[in-house]
Amino acid sequence: MSYILFGNKNTHTDYGLIVAPYEIPMPTAQTNFVPVPGRDGSLDLTEAFDAIRFNDRIILLTLYATGEYDTRVSAFVNAVHGKRMQIVFSKDPNYYYTGRVDVTSISKRDGYCEIAVTITAEPFKMDKQETAVTVTGNGTAILRNARMPVVPFVSNTEQATLTFTASGNTVRLQMSPGGHLNGQMYLPGDETRSVTVESTGTTIFTFRKGRL
């Protein structure tokens, strides 16, 4: 039985709802084409500011309730309508989507009820499991990112020196013991970065991958 988790509530086990077949559309890229007089074709400035940016995903769902459904439908609507939530689809169970839920209509018919739902979701679906790379003492951390750019969170038990290459430049960061979110650690989408760690303690790089 197909189901959807809205937050920690299951459409099937908590509300007894049936999920109609659905599609999760790909987000469209935010393109920027500029026509230039005297030039063949337009000038593509889509990537003028580094990464490609994407529009929201608009996910349309139809749910059905049968039997004595009034109480269950009311509970579902009051739990989700208008709220920004994490959503997990049973057909894509290793990831969650984040978006605002809108119950657009409720059609009551003889013996069943049809519920139309629109989710305006962020373009990237997120790994449920965070990625953590641990280096004990001196060593090298290999950070493999997915499509969404991230800034890894760095926690270290002792003073640490991190050295890596970003955009062709060598970057050297001094990290005092504790937790750090440093913009210089910016990791572009689909990039694999090698970070050299010099420390007597434990250094952990933590980030959550986002995918299309």
Side-chain angles (χ1 to χ4, degrees):
M1 174 70 70
S2 178
Y3 66 86
I4 301 171
L5 295 178
F6 288 86
N8 61 358
K9 295 292 186 179
N10 186 307
T11 53
H12 176 60
T13 57
D14 288 298
Y15 303 110
L17 302 178
I18 300 169
V19 180
Y22 58 87
E23 295 180 356
I24 301 177
M26 291 295 292
T28 57
Q30 296 179 6
T31 56
N32 183 13
F33 294 97
V34 179
V36 179
R39 183 184 189 274
D40 290 326
S42 56
L43 186 62
D44 186 356
L45 299 179
T46 301
E47 298 179 68
F49 299 102
D50 191 21
I52 301 171
R53 301 302 178 183
F54 295 91
N55 295 307
D56 292 332
R57 295 180 195 248
I58 306 300
I59 304 172
L60 304 178
L61 302 173
T62 302
L63 310 176
Y64 293 97
T66 59
E68 298 296 327
Y69 56 72
D70 282 345
T71 299
R72 290 181 286 117
V73 170
S74 177
F76 171 73
V77 170
N78 281 282
V80 306
H81 183 53
K83 293 183 179 180
R84 182 173 176 82
M85 312 181 78
Q86 288 187 3
I87 299 146
V88 177
F89 297 90
S90 62
K91 297 183 183 301
D92 201 14
N94 295 321
Y95 309 97
Y96 67 83
Y97 297 74
T98 301
R100 194 161 299 280
V101 181
D102 183 23
V103 178
T104 55
S105 67
I106 300 173
S107 301
K108 295 186 176 183
R109 310 184 191 281
D110 292 337
Y112 73 96
C113 177
E114 181 178 303
I115 308 164
V117 176
T118 298
I119 302 171
T120 303
E122 295 176 359
F124 292 99
K125 63 182 182 182
M126 307 301 294
D127 287 9
K128 278 186 177 180
Q129 185 70 40
E130 278 192 323
T131 294
V133 179
T134 302
V135 176
T136 302
N138 296 330
T140 301
I142 305 299
L143 309 181
R144 295 182 175 89
N145 195 16
R147 184 62 185 272
M148 186 184 76
V150 296
V151 176
F153 183 81
V154 183
S155 58
N156 45 294
T157 58
E158 301 293 339
Q159 181 77 23
T161 301
L162 310 182
T163 306
F164 56 91
T165 300
S167 301
N169 299 313
T170 299
V171 180
R172 190 175 176 87
L173 300 177
Q174 301 292 335
M175 298 285 191
S176 58
H180 310 273
L181 193 64
N182 189 315
Q184 289 182 277
M185 288 292 299
Y186 175 83
L187 187 60
D190 292 327
E191 181 164 303
T192 297
R193 176 178 294 162
S194 176
V195 181
T196 299
V197 179
E198 299 172 72
S199 177
T200 58
T202 299
T203 305
I204 304 174
F205 302 83
T206 307
F207 58 100
R208 192 181 301 275
K209 296 179 182 180
R211 308 171 190 268
L212 293 174

